[in-house]
Structure formats: structure tokens, C-alpha cells
Amino acid sequence: MDVAPMDDGFPAERLFNQGYSYTYDDVIFLPHYIDFPTDSVQLSTKLSRNLNLSIPCVASPMDTVTESSMAVSMAALGGIAIVHSNNSASDQASIIRSAKSHRIPFVSDLIFKSPSDFINSMDEFGSSPCILITESGTGKSKLLGAVTKSDWQALNDKETSVSYYMAKSPVSAPSDYDFEQVAAYLAAKNLEFVPLVNEEDGEVVDMVTAADVERIRGFPKMGMPSVGPDGKFMVGAAIGTRESDKERLEHLVKAGANVVVLDSSQGNSIYQIEMIKYVKKTYPELDVIGGNVVTMYQAHSLIQAGVDGLRVGMGSGSICTTQEVCAVGRGQATAVYKVSSVAERSGVPVIADGGISNSGHIVKGLVLGASTVMMGSFLAGSNEAPGAYEYQGGCRIKKYRGMGSLEAMTKGSDARYLGDKAKLKIAQGVVGAVADKGSVLKFVPYAMQAVKQGFQDLGASSLQSAHDLLRSGILRLEVRTGAAQVEGGVHGLVSYKKKSF
């Protein structure tokens, strides 16, 4: 018996050529055929032409998202972080050097004093089990000793300089030890903590405690870390398109940046095209990612200029008001699909930047053609994000601000919006706060497992498989009505508690 042809749903090419600007929530994929287990799904991908990642996750170059702690943890997970440029060139380079000096998946808050300093109260220890004594009282000099909380408490005379009672030449481990090597060292020596010291200059890179080891082993197992040709964690850096950024670029290359991202809200400009050409001519081995773009025309311009990757998104971030203020931008689902259609022909990977609130959005961004997703709010509020926790209405929060907010612009991010020379500053972002999310070392692996389950439902065992299914028209989509979006979430309950893992 012949089966009549079934035309169910819309192929992507037809759906995204109807003149509508769709967000991730506007569209839904129809399930396909499963013939493999969830754990067979491979999420390894390309960030740019020459850089590979184990997971398709990129931390956004925002000053409330990415500094050394985020860079270290994202690289340890198999992703990458792009260090923001809302600071001096030397400060940005210092963050990169700090991140690349690590082999463990976190950064500790270290407290230093010089031998002539005094410890006046227990508060000076903070959450650290000890205070490290170095020649200059900073991390940039040789380690001389340590003072533990218990030793200081036991002192009869606390009004003397630390040189009189510090434990001299404390046991340390090489800074090139990875996490498992440090854990084994702590266990073998029966230590509560061990400083990690650079064997070349004697400077302290970090410190690991027995409690840290227990905490990290309580998180999901990490995959292959992102390591560059130098054997160190891969770290990216954002730069602008001004003449001064050429000098910044030199600092970043010397610090070991593995990739640079040209940070602009509208990337199709003469300034960015000239900067792309400059970077590729001056540092031909360095991958450069251009953007932001949302149209095929914009993408074509930057590809012609020589970019190794494209960052897609304009006004889709939770703290961004570009579409509202400037009436320019595009729905993120449409933008990712359209730009990916052009970039794929030239072998240029696409980063879907913005609009990521949950694992379903990650699935949509990747399947629609992106190789990675860049996240801001999704990672903000984590332990690894810069800033201190505060309490607001009984909720533990961290500040999260758009780089187009007036607050961020006072630090220099106005260049990103080509407004650094304007007399009147117009905000294209807001300052807000997000709830405490815990550690990215915990919630990112769970998000990746959810993404794998989404790919399994679609019958895609890899990103390339998903892209092939979409381009061939086998994978189908539909637009969701407002009622369908409500139905697709939690509804009809008086109260509920949502726990993803």
C-alpha cells in the first residue's frame, strides 16, 4: 500500500523567508528519528577557523561576566571565555596572563602581606585558611612564608610584624600541576592547603585547599579542557576598532591571547574592516572574530575582509536596548539562520551571541547554524562572574550590566557603539542584577546534558549532523503562537518550584 507524501511543518529556508523576525521562543523544532543514545551526541565544535572546543559555550566579553576566574573555569570545561576590554590594555593583558597561568579549574581569592606587615584581626583572613607572605606583599614577588588562622589565634603577642611568627618556606607545589596532581599532592603530604608556585620566578599563582578538592569532585565530571598549542588554557580577548586598539592588541598577543574578538554592536563598518585587515596582516596566525552582524550582507562584508569567525546578534541580550533605542536589529533566530547560511559557504563558524535564557535556546541557536553560543546573563551571577554578592529582598544577587549602559560607558565601552567621540552619550543597555547561580563548573555540564537530549530528539548526533538535517529540509520547524508558548512552559499551577538539576 502506497503511503501518501507527508508535508509536516516548514523547512527552515521557507520559514525564515516570509519577512518575519523570529526570536528563539517564536519557533519550535519538530522531533525527528532517534537511533542513538543521548551520550553518543558529540558537542565538539569550532569557535573559529582554527580553534576547536569540546563544548559550544563562550563567555561574553562583559565586565560583569568575564575576567580571570570565568576564563579559567570555561577553559577547564572545554569552552572559552572572551575577556572584556572595559579596562586598560595592561589590566586586560594581566587578566589573560593570570588565566593562562592556571591548570586548575578555579581562581582563589589570595591574601598577601609583606614580612613587615601586621595582622590586626581575624577579618583579614577572609575566607582563606591562611595569609601568604611575599617579598613585596603582593602576588608579584617570591613566596617567603605563610600564617594560618589557627597559628595566628594561638599567638600570645599579636602586635608584632608577621616576620616574627610566619611559617617560613611553606610546602608548595608547581603551578603547572593540574587539578588531579594537586589533589594527589595534598593527600600524599596530608596537607590542608598548598600554594601553587611558578618555579621560574617563585611567584604564587594560586592556592588549593582540601575543601576545594572535595567541592570540585562534587561537580559533574569535566570533559576535555580547551588547551592551546602552548599547552595552556585557551583565552580570548575583546578589542575595539580604534587606532589605540592596535597597541592594546600588541599587549594581548604578548600575554598569550588565543583569539581576538572585535567588539562592536554594528560590525559592518569601515573601522572594523580595516582592523580585520590589520590584525590578519600583523598577526597572521591569530584568529580574529568579527561582528556583531545580523544580516547576510553584513556577514559577507566581514568574510570578504578575512574574518575567521562571526558573532551574531543585535539587541537580543536581556540587558540590551539597541532595538528599542535605535530601531535597528533582528530577532535572534532569524539572524542566526540568515548569517549562518552565508558563513557556511566560506567555512566561517558563527557564534550566536545573546538571547540565551535556557538550554532550549542553546539547542535552537546551534541547530539553526551556529557553531557556538555566547552567553552573558546565563553565566552572570555565578561564583566565577566578577563582583561581590549582595542581598536584595532576601535574594542573593550579583550586578549584571549591559556594555551599552551609561555606567559601563563611563569605563570606555562607548567605543563599542561608536559613541566614544560623541558629545551626548545615549544608553543602549541597562544595569540590573541576577540571582546567585552557584558555580559554572556545576550548571554548565547540566546544561550541556540537556542540549544533548534536545539533539537526540531531533535525530542529530553532532552539530554538523544538525546543520545537515536543517539545510536538507529534513528537520522541520513551526512558529509558535502566544498560547503555544504559554502551553510549552509551566502553566496551570497555583505555585511550583522549578529545579532543573
Side-chain angles (χ1 to χ4, degrees):
M1 181 178 174
D2 293 333
V3 179
M6 292 180 285
D7 189 15
D8 200 0
F10 289 83
E13 186 176 7
R14 181 178 170 191
L15 185 76
F16 289 109
N17 279 301
Q18 300 181 85
Y20 293 101
S21 190
Y22 293 123
T23 67
Y24 290 141
D25 283 337
D26 287 327
V27 298
I28 193 75
F29 290 110
L30 303 186
H32 189 42
Y33 176 70
I34 299 173
D35 59 358
F36 53 85
T38 306
D39 289 339
S40 293
V41 176
Q42 297 296 316
L43 295 180
S44 55
T45 187
K46 280 188 171 293
L47 172 74
S48 56
R49 287 188 196 270
N50 302 300
L51 295 183
N52 299 313
L53 301 177
S54 298
I55 61 171
C57 298
V58 184
S60 181
M62 303 173 72
D63 58 10
T64 50
V65 176
T66 301
E67 290 187 351
S68 59
S69 185
M70 184 67 74
V72 165
S73 294
M74 289 299 290
L77 288 166
I80 195 170
I82 312 299
V83 176
H84 71 87
S85 59
N86 214 21
N87 49 15
S88 68
S90 59
D91 285 347
Q92 188 182 16
S94 178
I95 291 170
I96 291 170
R97 277 192 294 270
S98 171
K100 292 186 73 69
S101 69
H102 281 69
R103 290 288 306 281
I104 58 173
F106 59 88
V107 175
S108 303
D109 292 325
L110 303 181
I111 301 166
F112 296 98
K113 285 189 179 291
S114 71
S116 60
D117 287 334
F118 294 77
I119 300 174
N120 299 310
S121 74
M122 279 289 288
D123 293 340
E124 294 189 40
F125 286 87
S127 59
S128 177
C130 72
I131 291 175
L132 300 173
I133 314 303
T134 62
E135 290 176 341
S136 66
T138 71
K140 298 297 182 182
S141 59
K142 188 176 180 180
L143 178 66
L144 301 176
V147 179
T148 66
K149 282 183 179 179
S150 56
D151 286 348
W152 186 82
Q153 284 178 307
L155 287 175
N156 292 321
D157 182 10
K158 295 182 174 66
E159 296 183 1
T160 56
S161 64
V162 296
S163 61
Y164 287 98
Y165 55 82
M166 69 180 186
K168 297 178 180 178
S169 302
V171 177
S172 63
S175 60
D176 60 1
Y177 271 18
D178 62 24
F179 175 73
E180 290 302 330
Q181 287 175 307
V182 176
Y185 190 85
L186 281 167
K189 300 282 187 180
N190 196 27
L191 300 171
E192 283 300 309
F193 65 88
V194 62
L196 304 181
V197 175
N198 187 319
E199 293 184 305
E200 292 181 6
D201 53 25
E203 292 181 6
V204 179
V205 171
D206 212 316
M207 182 171 66
V208 179
T209 69
D212 289 329
V213 172
E214 187 176 349
R215 177 175 62 90
I216 298 300
R217 285 187 168 158
F219 294 151
K221 187 177 180 181
M222 289 178 279
M224 291 293 294
S226 299
V227 177
D230 57 3
K232 298 178 180 180
F233 281 156
M234 287 203 303
V235 183
I239 62 170
T241 56
R242 299 306 191 198
E243 194 64 29
S244 59
D245 286 294
K246 293 178 181 178
E247 183 180 343
R248 178 184 289 268
L249 177 62
E250 184 180 355
H251 283 278
L252 300 177
V253 171
K254 288 179 179 177
N258 297 93
V259 60
V260 292
V261 174
L262 301 187
D263 197 18
S264 176
S265 65
Q266 210 283 55
N268 188 27
S269 68
I270 185 63
Y271 316 111
Q272 181 155 150
I273 289 170
E274 288 179 349
M275 183 60 83
I276 291 167
K277 292 177 179 178
Y278 173 82
V279 175
K280 296 309 295 181
K281 180 180 179 181
T282 311
Y283 304 101
E285 300 301 314
L286 181 67
D287 274 15
V288 57
I289 294 170
N292 280 31
V293 297
V294 292
T295 71
M296 300 168 82
Y297 174 75
Q298 286 179 301
H300 180 73
S301 292
L302 300 192
I303 290 170
Q304 290 292 102
V307 290
D308 300 297
L310 285 169
R311 187 175 168 198
V312 178
M314 191 174 187
S316 57
S318 63
I319 38 63
C320 187
T321 59
T322 297
Q323 293 185 20
E324 176 186 320
V325 172
C326 301
V328 179
R330 201 171 204 174
Q332 188 67 346
T334 300
V336 171
Y337 176 75
K338 289 288 191 177
V339 172
S340 298
S341 299
V342 173
E344 185 265 341
R345 299 172 202 160
S346 302
V348 175
V350 161
I351 303 170
D353 174 24
I356 302 295
S357 299
N358 53 54
S359 58
H361 291 160
I362 299 175
V363 172
K364 290 175 182 179
L366 295 174
V367 176
L368 287 171
S371 294
T372 55
V373 293
M374 180 174 278
M375 300 174 288
S377 64
F378 194 84
L379 303 175
S382 64
N383 297 347
E384 292 78 11
Y389 284 110
E390 302 172 10
Y391 282 90
Q392 189 178 91
C395 180
R396 196 166 185 247
I397 62 166
K398 264 189 184 180
K399 179 188 284 187
Y400 176 52
R401 69 185 183 191
M403 297 305 283
S405 65
L406 291 177
E407 185 177 286
M409 282 185 176
T410 61
K411 297 288 188 70
S413 67
D414 48 356
R416 183 178 192 274
Y417 301 86
L418 303 180
D420 51 323
K421 296 180 181 177
K423 293 181 180 179
L424 300 178
K425 304 295 182 186
I426 304 298
Q428 292 187 43
V430 300
V431 178
V434 292
D436 175 13
K437 294 188 178 76
S439 175
V440 298
L441 297 174
K442 181 175 183 181
F443 69 78
V444 168
Y446 278 102
M448 291 301 97
Q449 185 63 25
V451 170
K452 286 185 176 184
Q453 291 179 354
F455 270 59
Q456 183 190 39
D457 285 341
L458 296 173
S461 58
S462 66
L463 269 70
Q464 187 59 55
S465 171
H467 295 169
D468 291 344
L469 287 169
L470 188 80
R471 302 289 177 210
S472 67
I474 294 173
L475 205 57
R476 298 296 180 107
L477 304 89
E478 286 181 344
V479 176
R480 296 199 293 176
T481 63
Q485 292 182 41
V486 171
E487 185 180 70
V490 180
H491 62 281
L493 303 177
V494 174
S495 64
Y496 70 94
K497 185 174 182 180
K498 190 172 184 179
K499 191 173 181 181
S500 300
F501 52 84

